[in-house]
Amino acid sequence: MLASKERPPDCLSDLVLDEWRAGEIDDQARVAELEAHVAGCERCRARKEAFDEQARSYLEKKPAFVPPVRARLKHESRRSRRMQLFAVGASALAAAAALALVLRTPEKTPVGGEETGTRLKGGSHVAFFVKRGDRVVKGGPGERLQSGDQLRFTATLERPKHLAILSRDARGVTSVYYPAQPVTTPLPAGADVALENSVELDDVLGEERIYAVFCDAPIAVEELRTALERTGEIPVRQGCTVDRSAFVKEPKP
Amino acid sequence: MVSTENTLDALYRTHAPSVFRRARRLLGSDAEAQEVVQDVFLSLFERPEQYAGKSKLTTFLYSAGTHACLNRIRDAKNRLRLLRERAAGDPEAKSDVGLTPEKLSLLHRMLERMPEELARAAVYYYVDDLSHDEVARLLGCSRRQVGNLLKRVEEWGRAQELQHASQ
């Protein structure tokens, strides 16, 4: 009716291959049997190799599961209740930090030349925490946020650098999220250094793109913002790198 | 039971590719398959107690992934989107399972109205190409019951074809 059975009766099913690949077959004799079969069966060997390759390729594109903020807030709330039961004191921020979901920047491009100097693992990047009501969680790439959420950025720098964080909302309007001053001052090297001030999200819905610009020299922030608004891109500048990411703004339920 | 996010992350890296592969094969769409992965792991994140650790996680995820795919096929808006995506593609192009877009559409038309138990058995047997024993393990029933379910799937399919032809 729907499809004919294609697998020869002696060949391994996808279910068996998946269980084997996931390390769920405890019986070593059975594992040896599977290995022997795959070694002598072209179809199963090719299928297993294809699964391995598909998994590698998939995880390159989607390396981690990032639950939406709403779910994490709920989860965090449950965790906090459990913590109270066991009388364990911990701030929401510390609990959120335990989530260890760093805003990994999917697109990182050197602007106007190679970056020099020793890089920390992962290079310079920013992350952010989201405050909704009295709950705080760490944000992730492609995050679904709400109008009224407050964002607080952190920066990881392998050496002192200038940093500007700008955004471009769904209407193409640009804003400066960091710094508050017109020209940047260098930030010290360090991991997850909290930046001053937080940002409250407005009610423009849709995708908002975030640009974190790291430079060796001071950045004239307003100049950068108008260039972004005019061209939709950060202008090329020697000695700078740009981390791009995005989140989606949704209405409050 | 999946109790921590670190654990969930490790499980994601081990299992998400196979959840995606099955969903993509059944739905014929990368974007929809990715939504299924998100649904399945979000559900585990929100309600870790649903996986009690009594079966292998792969078994649990075959079941959860199938359920999520069937929901998407039955959702009218998603169905239309899947149809449009297939209409835009090459009609002779085959998916990973060897189904042309036309056959995939036929499969979806049947699954969207088929009773849940039959639909699950049909997916495991016809799409995943599993044996009666394996379908029985996934459904938690006997091999004989699987035979009966598949017989009912065939009867149901024939009745639908007849109904379709008479319209």
Side-chain angles (χ1 to χ4, degrees):
Chain A
M1 176 198 73
L2 301 168
S4 57
K5 302 293 278 181
E6 293 183 345
R7 178 167 56 96
D10 292 339
C11 278
L12 307 182
S13 70
D14 288 1
L15 179 63
V16 169
L17 282 172
D18 282 334
E19 288 173 340
W20 183 19
R21 292 184 64 260
E24 292 178 343
I25 299 178
D26 298 329
D27 181 350
Q28 288 311 302
R30 175 63 177 148
V31 172
E33 206 178 285
L34 296 176
E35 282 169 348
H37 176 86
V38 165
C41 173
E42 198 178 326
R43 181 189 184 278
C44 290
R45 188 169 58 246
R47 199 149 181 84
K48 183 170 183 293
E49 285 171 1
F51 283 13
D52 290 342
E53 174 54 28
Q54 282 167 9
R56 191 195 57 72
S57 165
Y58 178 82
L59 291 172
E60 253 179 31
K61 291 179 204 153
K62 307 277 179 191
F65 171 68
V66 182
V69 166
R70 190 178 306 163
R72 292 211 301 281
L73 286 166
K74 239 190 255 176
H75 191 78
E76 193 57 34
S77 171
R78 286 204 304 265
R79 186 190 303 202
S80 294
R81 281 200 295 275
R82 281 203 299 272
M83 281 178 171
Q84 283 164 12
L85 281 175
F86 291 96
V88 175
S91 73
L93 191 65
L99 297 177
L101 294 168
V102 174
L103 170 62
R104 298 301 305 148
T105 48
E107 308 161 42
K108 182 194 248 318
T109 51
V111 178
E114 290 297 312
E115 194 178 39
T116 55
T118 309
R119 295 172 69 93
L120 286 175
K121 191 180 176 188
S124 303
H125 59 265
V126 295
F128 64 87
F129 286 91
V130 184
K131 184 171 187 290
R132 185 177 301 166
D134 59 351
R135 315 298 313 166
V136 179
V137 294
K138 202 161 190 177
E143 197 69 78
R144 304 188 88 80
L145 302 175
Q146 291 176 9
S147 312
D149 282 349
Q150 289 187 322
L151 304 190
R152 179 90 185 261
F153 287 89
T154 64
T156 296
L157 298 151
E158 76 277 22
R159 57 189 169 83
K161 277 192 178 181
H162 291 262
L163 168 64
I165 303 174
L166 294 90
S167 81
R168 192 166 193 269
D169 69 20
R171 292 184 313 193
V173 174
T174 54
S175 309
V176 176
Y177 282 176
Y178 179 85
Q181 297 77 23
V183 178
T184 58
T185 51
L187 286 170
D192 290 325
V193 177
L195 303 179
E196 60 187 17
N197 303 328
S198 60
V199 176
E200 184 168 324
L201 297 181
D202 60 20
D203 55 2
V204 178
L205 306 182
E207 187 188 63
E208 183 157 330
R209 297 194 67 82
I210 300 294
Y211 303 83
V213 184
F214 298 90
C215 292
D216 293 330
I219 304 167
V221 181
E222 181 57 19
E223 193 181 305
L224 197 63
R225 187 196 67 75
T226 49
L228 176 63
E229 186 149 311
R230 197 175 59 249
T231 64
E233 193 41 83
I234 296 290
V236 172
R237 190 172 165 184
Q238 187 72 29
C240 297
T241 56
V242 183
D243 279 357
R244 297 175 178 79
S245 191
F247 55 78
V248 177
K249 226 186 299 172
E250 296 177 331
K252 282 184 183 177
Chain B
M1 189 166 129
V2 184
S3 56
T4 71
E5 286 172 63
N6 285 340
T7 309
L8 185 63
D9 196 48
L11 295 179
Y12 170 88
R13 294 190 64 79
T14 304
H15 294 276
S18 59
V19 174
F20 177 79
R21 187 196 70 235
R22 289 189 67 244
R24 182 168 169 260
R25 182 191 294 166
L26 184 53
L27 299 173
S29 157
D30 281 13
E32 290 284 329
Q34 185 50 40
E35 291 286 321
V36 165
V37 174
Q38 187 71 13
D39 288 351
V40 166
F41 282 89
L42 181 58
S43 168
L44 263 181
F45 175 76
E46 291 182 323
R47 293 184 295 113
E49 65 279 5
Q50 65 185 294
Y51 174 62
K54 287 177 186 167
S55 64
K56 292 173 180 170
L57 189 63
T58 297
T59 311
F60 171 82
L61 291 173
Y62 262 60
S63 175
T66 304
H67 180 67
C69 286
L70 289 173
N71 280 346
R72 291 199 163 259
I73 290 169
R74 286 168 181 154
D75 179 279
K77 278 186 206 161
N78 270 316
R79 201 167 57 248
L80 281 172
R81 190 162 65 230
L82 289 168
L83 276 170
R84 274 199 298 274
E85 281 180 21
R86 280 195 295 279
D90 177 359
E92 295 303 313
K94 289 187 172 187
S95 70
D96 287 354
V97 76
L99 292 178
T100 60
E102 195 178 276
K103 283 191 177 172
L104 205 54
S105 292
L106 171 67
L107 173 67
H108 287 183
R109 279 206 303 276
M110 291 197 168
L111 292 176
E112 83 188 45
R113 282 168 296 172
M114 198 179 273
E116 176 78 14
E117 197 182 23
L118 298 191
R120 281 172 176 263
V123 168
Y124 296 143
Y125 187 73
Y126 292 106
V127 181
D128 289 313
D129 205 3
L130 302 182
S131 67
H132 282 218
D133 279 336
E134 289 169 325
V135 177
R137 181 149 66 88
L138 288 169
L139 291 176
C141 65
S142 70
R143 197 174 180 280
R144 187 175 170 180
Q145 278 175 299
V146 171
N148 290 337
L149 283 172
L150 293 172
K151 196 176 164 194
R152 282 170 57 199
V153 168
E154 291 288 344
E155 288 167 358
W156 193 92
R158 274 196 295 274
Q160 293 296 309
E161 280 171 14
L162 280 174
Q163 197 180 350
H164 189 66
S166 67
Q167 282 173 353

